[in-house]
Amino acid sequence: MALTLFGGSSMGAADLYTPALLEHVSHPDYNYELEGATCSHEGINPSCGDDLTLHVKLGDDGAIEDASWTGVGCAVSQGSADMMSDLVIGRTPAEAKQLCNLFGRMVRGETLSDTEREELDEAICLESISHMPARVKCAELAWRTLDEMLSGATEPSSTEGDDAAANSPAPATAASPQDGR
């Protein structure tokens, strides 16, 4: 089944379920509860049933030493969470927040420069999701949750009531200390 886009072009499932996404879904490297996490934060996408918790461990230098996620959800949310976890390790929280911003802009259909596209590494494979507004919430959940966690949020991140997700920037709310979730 193909989705017909403006201008007559079409997008099929193969454009969304790329080999990179499927590899992260089939063999996730970061789907585990991280022991000794500095921060953990839950994200929920009630429209699809995605529910994940991100875990981040900050090193002595303040950079993200390790990251992981646990939870349930669709292939897009889980693959995206795994790609994001891989991408933020070794980055400062400010750099990770910038990546979250870039990813959000991309899945909402904004054109990124070649340099910005390179910064997203293999997460760029989710670029076509911008043509499927209902799936933007799935792809963006982990990234929004990380951004909120690093900004100090204490309430779970949610995409509920965010029908304009394809047209509005992701909220920047919070970073939460390890709360035992």
Side-chain angles (χ1 to χ4, degrees):
M1 179 175 143
L3 174 68
T4 302
L5 306 175
F6 294 106
S9 62
S10 65
M11 185 181 107
D15 295 321
L16 175 58
Y17 296 102
T18 63
L21 176 67
L22 294 175
E23 178 64 25
H24 280 277
V25 172
S26 300
H27 307 288
D29 293 320
Y30 301 96
N31 184 5
Y32 60 91
E33 187 155 348
L34 179 62
E35 289 192 30
T38 308
C39 305
S40 290
H41 194 65
E42 182 178 25
I44 302 166
N45 175 8
S47 66
C48 191
D50 306 322
D51 187 348
L52 60 85
T53 301
L54 295 179
H55 312 280
V56 171
K57 183 176 184 179
L58 300 176
D60 293 337
D61 61 357
I64 298 171
E65 185 176 292
D66 204 356
S68 73
W69 59 275
T70 54
V72 295
C74 69
V76 172
S77 71
Q78 293 200 353
S80 184
D82 208 61
M83 287 181 214
M84 183 207 67
S85 296
D86 186 40
L87 192 58
V88 301
I89 292 173
R91 311 272 184 147
T92 66
E95 291 168 337
K97 286 176 62 65
Q98 176 61 23
L99 289 171
C100 292
N101 177 273
L102 282 177
F103 185 84
R105 288 176 43 215
M106 177 192 72
V107 297
R108 286 187 299 279
E110 291 184 33
T111 302
L112 301 182
S113 71
D114 290 342
T115 302
E116 290 172 324
R117 292 172 58 83
E118 287 177 22
E119 287 182 54
L120 289 175
D121 197 33
E122 67 184 341
I124 200 72
C125 78
L126 291 169
E127 183 175 32
S128 66
I129 205 124
S130 66
H131 301 292
M132 302 177 75
R135 301 311 302 268
V136 168
K137 293 177 183 182
C138 304
E140 201 175 37
L141 179 61
W143 301 81
R144 289 176 68 164
T145 303
L146 178 66
D147 185 60
E148 290 181 4
M149 177 174 55
L150 295 175
S151 298
T154 57
E155 295 296 318
S157 175
S158 177
T159 60
E160 185 172 38
D162 191 18
D163 294 331
N167 299 316
S168 64
T173 41
S176 61
Q178 175 65 26
D179 61 5
R181 287 192 219 203

